[in-house]
């Protein structure tokens, strides 16, 4: 009986592992291909109404695709916000793009959570499609020459170290 239980447990573990790899493989492949490539050109509207044109960004940028309802997004954005509040990273070096959400909801969440970084709206999801974003949070480090240095989806345990290293190298 113990041997049967052990085999079933191992098979279940293998099944779950294969399933996770199958579901996440497209993201890993897209991220690997994107690193070192130039970021696609985009124009996005900040919640203040100001337009941002990626051609005019001449400094390193941490670009985050997120959603107000996303728990992991809240965690990652809180960590980044804390880095801004403690002056570890510049406020204008971060752009968080909310995907297909209403301006009033995003503004309410920004106020409630006291986010200090720039927030923009991808109203129709077209910018997320340019970057082949399939999940939130997705974080992209864009160098001042507009090349993608690093791209990740989901929680990143080493995010603060990665951000510090990225910004110190510029």
């Amino acid at each position: 009986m113990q041997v049967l239980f052990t085999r079933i447990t191992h098979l279940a573990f293998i099944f779950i592992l294969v399933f996770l790899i199958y579901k996440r493989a497209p993201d890993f492949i897209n991220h690997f291909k994107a690193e070192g490539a130039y970021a696609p050109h985009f124009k996005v509207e900040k919640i203040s109404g100001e337009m941002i044109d990626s051609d005019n960004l001449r400094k390193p940028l941490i670009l985050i695709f997120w959603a107000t309802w996303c728990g992991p997004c809240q965690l990652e954005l809180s960590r980044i916000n804390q880095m801004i509040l403690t002056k570890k990273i510049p406020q204008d070096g971060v752009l968080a793009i909310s995907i297909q959400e209403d301006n009033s909801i995003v503004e309410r969440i920004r106020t409630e959570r006291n986010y200090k970084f720039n927030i923009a709206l991808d109203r129709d999801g077209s910018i997320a499609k340019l970057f082949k974003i399939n999940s939130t949070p997705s974080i992209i480090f864009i160098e001042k020459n507009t090349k993608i240095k690093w791209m990740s989806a989901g929680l990143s345990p080493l995010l603060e170290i990665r951000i510090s290293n990225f910004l110190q190298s510029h």
Side-chain angles (χ1 to χ4, degrees):
M1 187 67 157
Q2 179 68 23
V3 173
L4 179 61
F5 178 75
T6 302
R7 286 185 180 175
I8 290 173
T9 304
H10 286 154
L11 284 174
F13 177 76
I14 291 169
F15 175 77
I16 291 169
L17 186 62
V18 168
F19 177 76
L20 290 173
I21 291 170
Y22 170 76
K23 292 299 278 181
R24 295 297 305 243
D27 282 341
F28 292 136
I29 292 168
N30 286 337
H31 297 167
F32 181 75
K33 287 180 181 178
E35 291 175 8
Y38 287 99
H41 172 261
F42 64 93
K43 291 181 182 180
V44 65
E45 183 180 357
K46 290 173 44 175
I47 57 175
S48 65
E50 177 188 350
M51 290 300 292
I52 295 176
D53 186 330
S54 65
D55 283 348
N56 297 331
L57 302 172
R58 298 290 177 233
K59 57 187 170 195
L61 179 67
I62 299 164
L63 184 63
I64 306 149
F65 288 92
W66 70 294
T68 58
W69 49 263
C70 168
C73 296
Q74 182 178 354
L75 179 64
E76 295 295 57
L77 291 176
S78 294
R79 291 168 60 194
I80 290 170
N81 201 53
Q82 188 59 38
M83 291 181 78
I84 291 169
L85 291 172
T86 58
K87 309 282 189 220
K88 291 180 181 175
I89 62 174
Q91 180 177 355
D92 63 349
V94 177
L95 176 60
I97 300 178
S98 175
I99 305 171
Q100 296 178 315
E101 292 189 289
D102 183 74
N103 188 2
S104 62
I105 295 170
V106 174
E107 177 60 35
R108 181 177 53 81
I109 294 297
R110 184 199 63 79
T111 302
E112 285 175 8
R113 298 179 185 162
N114 197 28
Y115 290 152
K116 300 297 183 190
F117 43 80
N118 290 312
I119 297 178
L121 302 168
D122 183 5
R123 296 186 195 286
D124 61 1
S126 60
I127 299 167
K129 287 180 186 164
L130 282 175
F131 283 91
K132 298 179 182 171
I133 301 301
N134 296 316
S135 60
T136 57
S138 285
I139 301 172
I140 305 168
F141 293 176
I142 301 176
E143 297 176 313
K144 59 185 170 187
N145 64 2
T146 72
K147 281 190 176 181
I148 295 173
K149 175 76 174 177
W150 180 73
M151 189 170 177
S152 177
L155 295 173
S156 176
L158 301 176
L159 181 63
E160 293 174 44
I161 294 168
R162 286 184 179 274
I163 288 173
S164 295
N165 290 339
F166 171 66
L167 294 176
Q168 286 176 3
S169 68
H170 288 89

